């Protein structure tokens, strides 16, 4: 046994245990089907066959609905070992017909380990493998009657594909009226791609059409790269019932060919090695295709993360704009500022009496703590409202962006309508987190003023204004701008900025004020960024629940199989 090759195949099989395609990206259904088919062929054929290269030959009889597969098997066995009939689908459970000497191999889990074995008379139950022993089948060869490849039952079609992938030899059954159908040729192309040993039984051929139909089928086989495939034509016979076995003479060529395979160990080994080699060689195409599809999954997941990230980056930009455009000095904040300093006096003295107004503000800061608290509360409320507004907008944009992609739409649908609806707006916990963040920022600003004032010579002047008052002025200075304002608001906001800055410069100096303002603004932005990051994590957490494996281990496993490919015993397919 080729231990290195077996170990490489086992590692590859392990890599296929993961869900490589959790997102609706590309044709994910086809990718998942290809993954199941490859894992199934490793389990059902490659690993057991490599472990026992001289085990009996498994010939799977497959074909379209009503092609006469079960009738052919019964005719070859000379007994009613599998049930044929007019009901569709006919073969509900596969039946394996084997010589008693080989029964032990097929009754064990060496081949098709996922199908429980049943023996005895009667029809096998769906999902099982019925094993029938008869000496009419030569030793060294087993016949498996498979479900229809074009069954109306999806499970039957999938099982037929699984059984054909587990075969050493395909006995493909078709009829004179259906040999050109597309579904059978899809399977025959797969046989060609994987170099599977193949023979075709053409049934129900009118005697006067035996020559033309056989020639046309051979032509099609040549066009599909299957020239030289053994072809057996069974003439149309007038049978009393569809379940009646064919006369021995009608199936004698097929029977003799199969007997020759079973009797000739070298020919039998050639069939096994040819199919085994083809299945191994197909991995060089099939595994990279799966890895490429897995890479598309990772790219798609990254794109969903990027969409959410861009939505919340836009929210941060919107907050920055809200700090610059004077939005926060409107409404309640503007009213509380007017109460704080007296709007009329402020407007009359903006240009000529800044000094007197400075004294007035100083008095207000020292003597009107209630009004100062109201201004601070209004500012806190305004900042909080701005943060919640941009967070709501980001959540809505992120959901819309995800819904515009198949993968994002699939994720949101799997999360449920209620969860998707919650994702489309800021989280309920955001209000409390915002309030705490703004209060902490205000505390930071006060500490900033306290620290800066303690380091300067003008400690007495700073103390005359009070830390709370100077902190308020610094907070106002962070947002004071004429951008976005008009009319009377421009003058008020502009005066607000001028007066707060003049007072701060009088205490700290103009350069220090710029540094204080930048520090206060940067700290607030950092806190807002943290809040938005936490909101964005609701989307990334949904992605994190869907593990998209890295394709690198899969590619490495395929490369290891290729490196050990030559360990297959001598006498491979020509």
């Amino acid at each position: 046994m080729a231990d290195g090759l077996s170990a490489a195949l086992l590692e590859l099989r392990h890599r296929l245990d993961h869900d490589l395609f959790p997102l609706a990206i590309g044709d994910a259904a086809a990718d998942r089907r290809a993954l199941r088919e490859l894992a199934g062929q490793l389990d059902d054929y490659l690993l057991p066959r490599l472990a026992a290269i001289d085990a009996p030959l498994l010939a799977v009889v497959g074909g379209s609905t009503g092609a006469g597969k079960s009738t052919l098997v019964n005719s070859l066995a000379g007994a009613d070992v599998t049930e044929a009939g007019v009901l569709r689908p006919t073969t509900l459970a596969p039946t394996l017909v084997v010589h008693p000497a080989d029964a032990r191999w097929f009754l064990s889990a060496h081949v098709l380990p996922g199908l429980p074995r049943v023996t005895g008379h009667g029809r096998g139950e769906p999902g099982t493998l019925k094993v029938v022993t008869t000496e009419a089948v030569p030793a060294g060869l087993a016949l498996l009657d498979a479900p229809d490849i074009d069954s109306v039952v999806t499970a039957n079609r999938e099982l037929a594909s699984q059984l054909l992938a587990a075969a050493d030899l395909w006995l493909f059954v078709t009829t004179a009226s259906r040999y050109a159908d597309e579904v059978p040729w899809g399977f025959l192309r797969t046989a060609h791609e994987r170099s599977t040993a193949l023979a075709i039984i053409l049934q129900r051929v009118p005697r006067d059409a035996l020559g033309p139909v056989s020639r046309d089928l051979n032509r099609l086989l040549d066009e599909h790269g299957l020239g030289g495939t053994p072809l057996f034509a069974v003439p149309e016979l007038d049978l009393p019932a569809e379940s009646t076995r064919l006369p021995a003479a009608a199936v004698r060529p097929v029977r003799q060919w199969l007997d020759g395979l079973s009797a000739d160990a070298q020919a039998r080994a050639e069939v096994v090695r040819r199919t085994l080699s083809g299945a191994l060689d197909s991995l060089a195409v099939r595994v990279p295709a799966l890895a490429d599809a897995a890479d598309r999954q990772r790219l798609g997941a990254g794109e969903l993360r990027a969409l959410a990230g861009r939505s919340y980056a836009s929210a941060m930009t919107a907050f920055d704009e809200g700090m610059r455009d004077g939005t926060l000095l409107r409404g309640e904040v503007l009213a509380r500022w007017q109460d704080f300093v007296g709007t009329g006096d402020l407007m009359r003295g903006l240009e000529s009496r800044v000094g007197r107004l400075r004294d007035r503000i100083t008095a207000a800061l020292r003597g009107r703590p209630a009004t100062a608290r109201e201004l601070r509360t209004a500012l806190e409320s305004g900042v909080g409202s701005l943060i919640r507004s941009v967070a709501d907008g980001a959540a809505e944009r992120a959901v819309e962006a995800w819904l515009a992609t198949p993968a994002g739409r699939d994720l949101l649908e799997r999360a449920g309508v209620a969860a998707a609806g919650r994702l489309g707006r800021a989280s309920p916990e955001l209000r409390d987190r915002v309030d705490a963040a703004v209060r902490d920022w205000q505390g930071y600003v006060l500490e900033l003023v306290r620290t800066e004032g303690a380091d300067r010579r003008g400690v007495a002047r700073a103390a005359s204004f009070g830390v709370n008052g100077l902190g308020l002025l610094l907070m106002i200075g962070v947002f004071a701008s004429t951008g976005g304002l008009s009319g009377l608001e421009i003058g008020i906001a502009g005066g607000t900025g001028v007066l707060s800055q003049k007072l701060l410069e009088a205490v700290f100096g103009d350069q220090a004020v710029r540094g204080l303002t930048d520090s206060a603004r940067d700290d607030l932005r950092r806190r807002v960024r943290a809040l938005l990051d936490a909101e964005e994590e609701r989307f990334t957490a949904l992605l994190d629940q869907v593990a998209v494996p890295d394709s690198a281990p899969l590619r490495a496993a395929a490369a290891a199989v290729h490196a050990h490919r030559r360990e297959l015993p001598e006498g491979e397919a020509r």
Side-chain angles (χ1 to χ4, degrees):
M1 184 179 69
D3 293 335
L5 180 57
S6 294
L9 287 172
L10 284 170
E11 175 62 19
L12 174 61
R13 178 62 185 87
H14 170 67
R15 295 301 171 186
L16 299 178
D17 275 335
H18 305 287
D19 183 6
L20 299 177
F21 314 110
L23 299 173
I25 294 174
D27 193 349
D31 294 334
R32 294 179 188 121
R33 185 166 57 251
L35 175 63
R36 289 194 302 270
E37 290 175 354
L38 181 53
Q41 191 172 35
L42 283 163
D43 290 337
D44 299 337
Y45 183 69
L46 279 168
L47 288 169
R49 175 50 78 188
L50 190 61
I53 196 75
D54 296 322
L57 192 74
L58 177 61
V60 174
V61 182
S64 303
T65 301
K69 301 182 296 298
S70 299
T71 299
L72 176 67
V73 172
N74 288 336
S75 302
L76 291 172
D80 293 335
V81 293
T82 182
E83 188 171 345
V86 296
L87 294 178
R88 301 290 181 253
T90 49
T91 304
L92 299 177
T95 299
L96 181 69
V97 187
V98 62
H99 191 276
D102 297 329
R104 183 178 178 182
W105 169 258
F106 290 104
L107 284 171
S108 68
H110 294 301
V111 180
L112 299 166
L115 292 177
R117 270 51 168 179
V118 296
T119 57
H121 300 288
R123 173 181 291 182
E125 294 298 320
T128 65
L129 177 63
K130 180 182 176 183
V131 180
V132 177
T133 58
T134 175
E135 293 188 357
V137 173
L141 172 71
L143 296 176
L144 197 161
D145 182 20
D148 305 328
I149 60 173
D150 56 354
S151 172
V152 295
V153 180
T154 301
N156 280 355
R157 295 197 305 272
E158 292 178 347
L159 180 57
S161 298
Q162 177 187 357
L163 297 178
L164 289 169
D168 294 304
L169 169 66
W170 286 13
L171 296 180
F172 212 84
V173 183
T174 187
T175 65
S177 61
R178 302 197 60 184
Y179 69 88
D181 289 356
E182 175 56 29
V183 172
W185 283 103
F187 280 85
L188 293 174
R189 282 191 292 270
T190 299
H192 170 59
E193 292 166 0
R194 300 179 188 176
S195 298
T196 304
L198 174 69
I200 295 179
I201 293 88
L202 178 64
Q203 297 207 103
R204 298 175 185 169
V205 186
R207 291 188 180 277
D208 58 353
L210 272 173
V213 171
S214 297
R215 284 193 296 273
D216 190 50
L217 181 51
N218 274 312
R219 176 186 62 81
L220 291 174
L221 289 170
D222 287 338
E223 290 179 357
H224 288 82
L226 293 168
T229 297
L231 173 62
F232 303 94
V234 178
E236 187 172 36
L237 299 170
D238 187 14
L239 301 175
E242 186 170 343
S243 60
T244 303
R245 296 195 299 271
L246 298 168
V251 295
R252 184 174 293 119
V254 181
R255 176 62 186 265
Q256 290 176 342
W257 183 71
L258 292 175
D259 287 347
L261 276 180
S262 64
D264 187 342
Q266 183 175 353
R268 192 169 64 248
E270 172 66 16
V271 169
V272 170
R273 292 188 181 100
R274 173 185 174 181
T275 301
L276 185 57
S277 295
L280 286 171
D281 290 340
S282 74
L283 300 181
V285 175
R286 298 161 73 190
V287 177
L290 289 177
D292 289 344
D295 287 339
R296 289 193 292 272
Q297 289 275 318
R298 292 185 68 82
L299 290 173
E303 178 59 24
L304 290 179
R305 289 182 188 276
L307 288 172
R310 286 195 289 270
S311 296
Y312 282 91
S314 296
M316 193 68 222
T317 300
F319 178 79
D320 289 338
E321 184 62 26
M323 284 200 299
R324 290 191 300 266
D325 66 6
T327 298
L328 285 168
L329 297 183
R330 297 172 177 172
E332 186 67 16
V333 174
L334 186 60
R336 296 290 75 79
W337 174 259
Q338 293 171 9
D339 292 342
F340 191 55
V341 300
T343 302
D345 288 340
L346 176 64
M347 291 304 299
R348 285 192 299 271
L350 277 176
E351 295 182 357
S352 59
R353 291 183 296 189
V354 170
R356 221 173 76 186
L357 286 168
R358 185 185 305 156
D359 295 337
R360 181 183 182 91
I361 294 174
T362 302
L365 292 172
R366 292 173 57 82
R368 300 171 63 186
T371 308
R373 283 196 301 272
E374 291 173 358
L375 176 58
R376 179 174 174 176
T377 300
L379 191 59
E380 177 183 332
S381 176
V383 175
S385 295
L386 178 59
I387 297 172
R388 290 191 294 272
S389 174
V390 300
D392 273 329
E396 183 178 356
R397 284 191 299 274
V399 167
E400 289 177 351
W402 276 24
L403 287 174
T405 68
R409 187 163 55 250
D410 179 52
L411 266 183
L412 293 174
E413 287 175 355
R414 278 191 270 170
V417 175
R422 288 192 295 270
L423 277 175
R425 55 184 180 272
S427 65
E429 302 82 10
L430 181 63
R431 177 176 291 274
D432 290 340
R433 290 203 295 262
V434 166
D435 291 344
V438 174
R439 285 194 297 270
D440 288 346
W441 173 69
Q442 289 179 327
Y444 168 81
V445 171
L446 295 179
E447 184 61 29
L448 198 63
V449 169
R450 184 180 295 110
T451 302
E452 183 69 18
D455 292 340
R456 299 193 59 79
R457 295 178 181 176
V459 175
R461 182 175 296 179
S464 68
F465 286 103
V467 171
N468 289 338
L470 290 173
L472 266 177
L473 292 177
L474 183 55
M475 294 174 206
I476 291 292
V478 168
F479 305 108
S481 170
T482 59
L485 301 180
S486 61
L488 182 62
E489 288 180 325
I490 291 180
I492 296 171
T496 301
V498 169
L499 291 174
S500 61
Q501 183 168 339
K502 289 296 184 183
L503 285 171
L504 291 171
E505 289 176 357
V507 176
F508 302 116
D510 57 350
Q511 185 173 357
V513 168
R514 284 192 294 273
L516 288 170
T517 304
D518 290 343
S519 295
R521 184 180 292 113
D522 291 344
D523 184 77
L524 179 57
R525 292 188 76 257
R526 179 182 59 80
R527 296 176 192 274
V528 173
R529 180 71 265 181
L531 290 169
L532 294 177
D533 286 346
E535 290 292 291
E536 183 183 343
E537 285 175 4
R538 299 183 301 150
F539 291 86
T540 56
L542 199 60
L543 274 171
D544 291 339
Q545 294 173 11
V546 181
V548 181
D550 186 359
S551 68
L554 181 60
R555 295 183 190 276
V561 171
H562 180 73
H564 292 280
R565 171 67 178 80
R566 294 187 178 277
E567 295 179 9
L568 195 66
E570 292 296 325
E572 296 178 3
R574 288 183 294 275

